[in-house]
Amino acid sequence: MKEAIEQIFKELNELKAQTAKEAEEARIRFLGKKGEITALMEQFRSVAPELKREYGQKLNELKKAATARIEELKSLAEVSAVADAPKEDLTMPGDAFPLGSRHPVSIVRQQIVDIFRKFGYDVAEGPEIEDDYHVFEALNFPPNHPAREMQDTFFVSSGHLNPLLLRTHTSSVQVRTMETQPLPIRVVCPGRVFRNEAISARAHCIFHQVEGLYIDKDVTFADLKQAILLFAREMFGPETEIRMRPSYFPFTEPSAEVDVSCNICHGKGCNICKGTGWLEIMGCGMVDPNVLKASGIDPAQYSGFAFGMGVERIAMLKWQVNDLRHYFENDMRFLGEFATATEV
Ligand code: PHE
């Protein structure tokens, strides 16, 4: 028996296995039910009692050594199997990144701003949380004007003289520009505005505006009209005509609403322009002398015009989108349609 044990020790030392299968075969050969070591264990039962201690120890060592060696061969075979596995094909074309695109409201806001930039306007931005003074007071809103009331304005704080609120238009940025910038002023103010309106196809409580302001000596209504006409033709095409209807805003006098000729039916009348041939795009007017005075500008020396438009409204007209809510729902099928619409 002693020799048999020695013999197996020797064989274990020389044992080799290329694959996990070969290692498993070795395990069966030595440690399996009919394995060589298992057979020695059986024989051990009939070993003379005085030799049991010595042989028992040896057999245990053998079994341990065999188990360890076979485990070792198994894991070596597994490592080389991974190393020899066929490599990934590095010449395969990669997965294409899904390309995002700019939001249609961002695209149109940028187009509007770019057009006025070409005319020499600067761009100014201001806070979305404003105070009553910059949104209403400095813009000649009478103290009890309905726009200040809860149904239109989201108030952040109330109860004191100049409450904080979410701006309802970006005219507040024009006030801040008049307060801080030297004259003459030519500026457009893009930004988000907030009004407490029920959400529908035509209204939302959050939307975007671009407002503009031009103040210099001898600025007239004719300058306003020309600026708007040039803008409309850049935005909606060179054939576009404009018309102005008298209107009212506290901060401009005289004031007007601007319509552009319908770019779908070219004046014939369709369901987009509701058969009128005209589409309303913005409000405008000559800056009220009270507004100039409030910001420290002498109305005897300076005059100016202002205008303001809703970005979503321009985008709806440009792309014939009939429901404002599409712009806020982030439906990829809708947004994806504007992926290539970046040109002015
Ligand atoms: N501030 C006005 C609005 O939000 C738009 C406007 C701006 C009208 C400037 C006239 C002049 O509706």
Side-chain angles (χ1 to χ4, degrees), residues 139 141 168-171 174 193 195 207 209 211-212 249 251-252 255-256 282-285 305-309:
L139 287 161
F141 276 80
T168 56
H169 52 186
T170 59
S171 305
Q174 305 180 1
V193 299
R195 289 182 196 178
F207 60 100
Q209 282 189 326
E211 295 215 351
F249 298 101
F251 34 89
T252 46
S255 307
M282 68 169 92
C284 65
F305 63 72
F307 55 87
M309 67 193 103

Side-chain angles (χ1 to χ4, degrees), residues 49-286:
E50 65 275 18
L51 292 174
K52 272 220 155 125
R53 194 183 149 88
E54 185 195 341
Y55 283 15
Q57 234 170 26
K58 281 228 149 62
L59 259 182
N60 271 339
E61 275 168 30
L62 179 66
K63 196 174 170 189
K64 255 196 206 157
T67 312
R69 177 71 184 139
I70 287 164
E71 273 308 309
E72 184 188 25
L73 288 175
K74 247 189 202 163
S75 55
L76 284 175
E78 272 160 18
V79 169
S80 63
V82 171
D84 294 345
K87 299 275 184 302
E88 276 175 38
D89 181 357
L90 299 179
T91 65
M92 291 253 288
D95 287 340
F97 280 114
L99 259 195
S101 58
R102 294 178 68 201
H103 193 283
V105 170
S106 302
I107 295 171
V108 169
R109 182 192 54 204
Q110 197 56 47
Q111 287 178 349
I112 299 169
V113 167
D114 285 345
I115 290 169
F116 283 102
R117 267 209 157 107
K118 277 202 279 191
F119 298 167
Y121 285 66
D122 290 329
V123 181
E125 291 186 66
E128 292 180 350
I129 299 177
E130 260 294 3
D131 54 18
D132 181 276
Y133 177 81
H134 288 92
V135 174
F136 298 127
E137 179 94 28
L139 287 161
N140 199 35
F141 276 80
N144 295 318
H145 193 282
R148 296 186 192 212
E149 303 260 314
M150 288 308 256
Q151 68 264 28
D152 279 318
T153 307
F154 290 113
F155 284 91
V156 174
S157 70
S158 58
H160 56 88
L161 280 175
N162 188 20
L164 289 179
L165 42 87
L166 300 183
R167 66 183 178 193
T168 56
H169 52 186
T170 59
S171 305
S172 51
V173 185
Q174 305 180 1
V175 174
R176 289 184 178 278
T177 307
M178 287 189 283
E179 284 172 349
T180 54
Q181 299 300 308
L183 295 164
I185 287 171
R186 232 177 313 177
V187 73
V188 280
C189 312
R192 238 184 346 179
V193 299
F194 308 85
R195 289 182 196 178
N196 194 357
E197 305 220 27
I199 294 170
S200 71
R202 298 175 58 87
H204 209 284
C205 54
I206 301 177
F207 60 100
H208 298 77
Q209 282 189 326
V210 177
E211 295 215 351
L213 176 70
Y214 180 23
I215 300 177
D216 202 347
K217 292 192 167 140
D218 304 322
V219 178
T220 68
F221 202 92
D223 297 321
L224 167 62
K225 213 170 161 185
Q226 188 63 10
I228 303 300
L229 178 64
L230 289 178
F231 163 75
R233 290 191 170 162
E234 290 272 338
M235 193 71 197
F236 295 104
E239 311 292 311
T240 309
E241 296 295 341
I242 63 166
R243 76 173 183 188
M244 288 181 162
R245 287 175 287 110
S247 185
Y248 172 77
F249 298 101
F251 34 89
T252 46
E253 184 59 38
S255 307
E257 302 277 356
V258 181
D259 296 341
V260 291
S261 52
C262 179
N263 57 342
I264 316 296
C265 64
H266 303 286
K268 286 191 203 79
C270 65
N271 63 348
I272 301 284
C273 62
K274 305 224 168 57
T276 65
W278 295 97
L279 301 162
E280 186 186 317
I281 58 161
M282 68 169 92
C284 65
M286 301 306 291

